[in-house]
Structure formats: structure tokens, C-alpha cells
Amino acid sequence: MSGRTNWVPPDVDVSRASPARVYDYLLGGALNFPVDREMARQAIAAMPWVENLAKYNRAFLVRAVQFCVRAGVRQFLDLGSGLPSVRSVHEVAQALDPRCRVVYVEQEPVAVAHGRLVLGPVEGAGMVWADMCDVDTVLSDPVTKELLALDQPVAVVMASSLHYVLDAERAAGIVTAYLDAVVPDSYFVLSHITDNRDVGSSEVNALVELSKTTTAAGVARPREWIAGLLEGLDVVEPGLVYTSQWRPDNPLRLVTDLPAHASLLAAVARKP
């Protein structure tokens, strides 16, 4: 994809890289621009593990969504979703049960514009243009109200999105607000970049610094802070682990590509 296509809002600056589109490129998608591809190539050149990091995160999301569907959840609220790219939530969930409904929430205009284009013919999926921090706006949006019944369990998904909320207190607060809005037997799906203060710490910090040159900067947080988001919930086994370690399809592997395996912590938890 190059130049400006007719679905891109005219007031969007496509000369600056977007994390959503960079992530799409790293996953092998085509919904990105030259500036995004250049940013991704620079990141890969400096940190070759970044490509695997993105793929491990998407693989975790796929497994987590499948788990939630098998646990009885048929509604998903994907917050800070980015572009509906490779193996998106609605594709994974509806492959198991076509009755599943998915609301994507994103504030990046290009992601929203394309998301609405892609999801237009898809029954049971829609896109909300909003900052996921604006909980009331998200939950009162007509798309959310049409697709999600909040008196039934919902999987609240924050896969590699909460670390873009730089204020820690605000980030924790929005998690609480969304979980307060859903009923018991709802689930929380989380992945978050972490500064493990050990192997790979300097590489993770370098990635965080690179994010500051895009349209959205991120922040790495300690394991203890991330674990605190799960307090009061029933955390599904194997608990808070790295994305590649959460119920992997192939549990036998050699960890030779750190810090890709040790950068994003992940968990799935049930609201009792």
C-alpha cells in the first residue's frame, strides 16, 4: 500500500509512523504505508527480535480468544485494537462460533477508517472510534450498544495496548472501570510490555524509546505492577507469564531469541 487511498481521512498525516500500522507490517499485513514499513525495518535492523515479539503477541491473543469462546464467552471488547489485521479477534472467535460479537475500539484514524471498511460486511463485528481511556464514551457508543449486551459475560481485551497509557494510575483506573462494567464470568485478556530488570532489559528499553518517535509512545512496567491489575480476579493457569509461555501450541521449544520471549507479559483472568 502506498500513497493515499480513498479510505484514508484527508486530515490524517500519513508521513509519520503509527504503532498500529507498524504492528500490522510486522504481522505480515498490507495495511501500512512506506513510513510505517521504514520504521519497522529500522526497528528490525536494530532489534531483530521485534518481529517475533509481534508474532508471539498475536499468537497469544489467538489462543486467549479461543480459550474465552470455549469457556462460554460470546462477546469481545477489543480495546486499542489497532487495525483488523492478520487473525483478528472476530475471525478467531467466529471460526469457533459464528454467533460471537466483537467491538473493536481504536483512536488512530487510519485504523478506524480501514477497520470500518473491512468490517462493513461482517455480521457481529464493528468499530468504535474512541480513546479506550474514555470508558463512558466507549460503552455508550451506538456500535457497542448494538453488539454487546453488558448483562452477559464479555471478554475485555487489552492486548499490547495498555502500555500506551503513560500515566500508571490512569491505566489501572481504566482497567477497573471496564471490569466494573461487566458481569461475573467475564474475562480480562491482557498483554503488556515489561521491564524485567534482567535479561533483555536494555533491549526492551530501546524499543520503548523508539516508540517515542511514532504517533504513540509506550512505557514498560514492572511485573509487580502488571500483576496488580489482576488482583481480585481468578487468574487462569499458567498465570502471568510471557506471551510465548501462555498455553503454547507447542510447549517444546528452545529459547534462543531473547528478549522476544521475555518482553510482553500476558494473562487471562475471570471476574468472579
Side-chain angles (χ1 to χ4, degrees):
M1 185 179 299
S2 60
R4 181 182 290 274
T5 55
N6 57 12
W7 52 266
V8 179
D11 58 342
V12 172
D13 180 8
V14 296
S15 66
R16 191 176 182 194
S18 155
R21 300 193 304 266
V22 171
Y23 186 55
D24 172 73
Y25 176 82
L26 293 172
L27 291 174
L31 308 178
N32 46 75
F33 296 103
V35 65
D36 307 305
R37 296 191 284 275
E38 179 58 28
M39 172 63 70
R41 291 178 188 127
Q42 289 178 18
I44 293 170
M47 299 166 282
W49 51 273
V50 165
E51 192 168 10
N52 279 337
L53 178 68
K55 291 177 180 178
Y56 296 150
N57 187 62
R58 180 49 58 101
F60 156 72
L61 178 59
V62 168
R63 297 193 300 271
V65 169
Q66 290 170 338
F67 172 88
C68 290
V69 174
R70 289 166 181 150
V73 176
R74 296 295 181 270
Q75 304 185 111
F76 294 82
L77 181 61
D78 189 353
L79 298 160
S81 62
L83 290 153
S85 185
V86 181
R87 301 193 77 186
S88 292
V89 172
H90 74 280
E91 294 174 333
V92 175
Q94 291 180 351
L96 292 177
D97 189 334
R99 296 172 299 173
C100 287
R101 301 184 299 279
V102 180
V103 171
Y104 295 99
V105 178
E106 177 57 49
Q107 65 176 342
E108 207 277 337
V110 172
V112 173
H114 193 85
R116 288 174 172 170
L117 184 69
V118 169
L119 297 173
V122 178
E123 186 175 352
M127 195 109 194
V128 172
W129 187 5
D131 184 341
M132 72 178 194
C133 297
D134 296 332
V135 181
D136 291 341
T137 298
V138 170
L139 296 180
S140 64
D141 188 277
V143 174
T144 306
K145 286 187 159 185
E146 177 187 354
L147 291 175
L148 302 185
L150 295 183
D151 60 347
Q152 298 295 319
V154 177
V156 177
V157 179
M158 294 184 182
S160 195
S161 59
L162 192 62
H163 49 235
Y164 292 112
V165 182
L166 301 184
D167 182 271
E169 184 176 352
R170 188 184 191 202
I174 68 168
V175 171
T176 299
Y178 281 112
L179 292 179
D180 284 348
V182 297
V183 299
D185 290 327
S186 293
Y187 280 82
F188 180 37
V189 176
L190 173 71
S191 64
H192 194 298
I193 196 164
T194 183
D195 177 3
N196 55 29
R197 303 174 186 174
D198 191 10
V199 178
S201 180
S202 61
E203 289 92 339
V204 169
N205 288 333
L207 179 61
V208 170
E209 286 300 312
L210 184 63
S211 76
K212 295 177 181 178
T213 66
T214 71
T215 56
V219 60
R221 294 188 170 108
R223 172 185 284 271
E224 295 76 15
W225 186 91
I226 299 169
L229 300 175
L230 307 172
E231 290 181 3
L233 304 176
D234 295 333
V235 182
V236 173
E237 291 294 333
L240 181 63
V241 295
Y242 294 116
T243 49
S244 61
Q245 298 170 342
W246 198 89
R247 302 192 174 207
D249 297 324
N250 178 11
L252 299 177
R253 59 173 178 76
L254 295 176
V255 181
T256 58
D257 53 351
L258 289 172
H261 282 291
S263 303
L264 282 168
L265 283 170
V268 175
R270 183 183 69 88
K271 178 179 177 177

